[in-house]
Amino acid sequence: MAAQKAPFLKNMFEHAGLLIPDGIGVVLGVRKVYGVWSQRVAGADLMQQICHVAAEKSYKIYIYGSKEEVNKKAVEILKSRYTGIQIVGRSHGYLGEDEMGNLVKAINDSGADILFVALGSPRQEQWIDTHIENLNVKICQGIGGTLDTITGEMKRAPALFQRLGLEWFYRLVAEPRRARRQAALPVFMLKILLNGRPCQKPVFHKTL
């Protein structure tokens, strides 16, 4: 829904190396429009799967975004959770535009293979779209509020809600301020049900 109003976002999604169905609405939309079975892959889960693989393969990680205390604590938790993980750099997300050049240089100088950007959507997508050409990383994932879930600042829905595709409802109850943002969900589903048409044939990947 946001991509319909932000051309850069639409362009980024169309050219991304990998798109994951992070929300139940997208999962149901793919099934309805393309007749293809898919299942939800939460970005927060994928991020930690990548950390697990990175620890085993000695891939280097840089984490950018969120508040300083959250960023720092999340890094400490990840280091204790994944033996051998190499988090070679980190930065909070409250940097000025005049500091972006130094940040990009720091990321490249760190030798990071993987960059996690936790600025929230669509700010993180805007940042990635702007700077990706100057980055040497092999993987760049926007992770939204994942660092907050790692540190416990924000609680994820219980497993039952996740299995039933109701994590969005749990978060809405827990964070009523999300109501305005989530108002787009029923509009999206209505569009899919009434006139959903594939704009191009999708490429589907197995879950990592």
Side-chain angles (χ1 to χ4, degrees), residues 5 8 24 32 34 36 43 48 66-67 77 83 90 94 112 130 136 155 165-166 171 181-182 193 198-200:
K5 302 176 182 179
F8 89 88
I24 190 63
K32 171 71 168 69
Y34 297 105
V36 175
Q48 298 209 49
S66 195
K67 296 180 290 187
I77 292 173
T83 303
R90 67 172 191 85
Y94 292 84
T130 300
N136 297 331
K155 302 293 184 183
L166 293 174
R171 293 190 64 185
R181 176 180 177 179
Q182 292 193 348
L193 291 172
C199 56
Q200 62 182 52

Side-chain angles (χ1 to χ4, degrees), residues 64-66 117-127 142-145 181:
Y64 166 51
S66 195
V117 183
L119 299 178
S121 186
R123 187 179 165 213
Q124 62 193 19
E125 286 81 15
Q126 180 74 74
W127 189 92
I143 60 172
R181 176 180 177 179

Side-chain angles (χ1 to χ4, degrees), residues 57-115:
K57 302 290 187 180
S58 298
Y59 299 144
K60 298 176 182 178
I61 296 172
Y62 196 104
I63 299 179
Y64 166 51
S66 195
K67 296 180 290 187
E68 168 62 21
E69 58 270 28
V70 172
N71 186 295
K72 181 179 180 181
K73 185 177 180 180
V75 167
E76 293 171 352
I77 292 173
L78 289 170
K79 285 182 176 179
S80 66
R81 186 175 294 172
Y82 301 104
T83 303
I85 193 170
Q86 297 185 55
I87 300 179
V88 294
R90 67 172 191 85
S91 172
H92 64 78
Y94 292 84
L95 300 177
E97 192 58 39
D98 59 336
E99 300 175 272
M100 289 300 108
N102 289 334
L103 173 63
V104 170
K105 183 177 185 302
I107 295 170
N108 288 336
D109 288 349
S110 74
D113 302 294
I114 301 163
L115 171 63

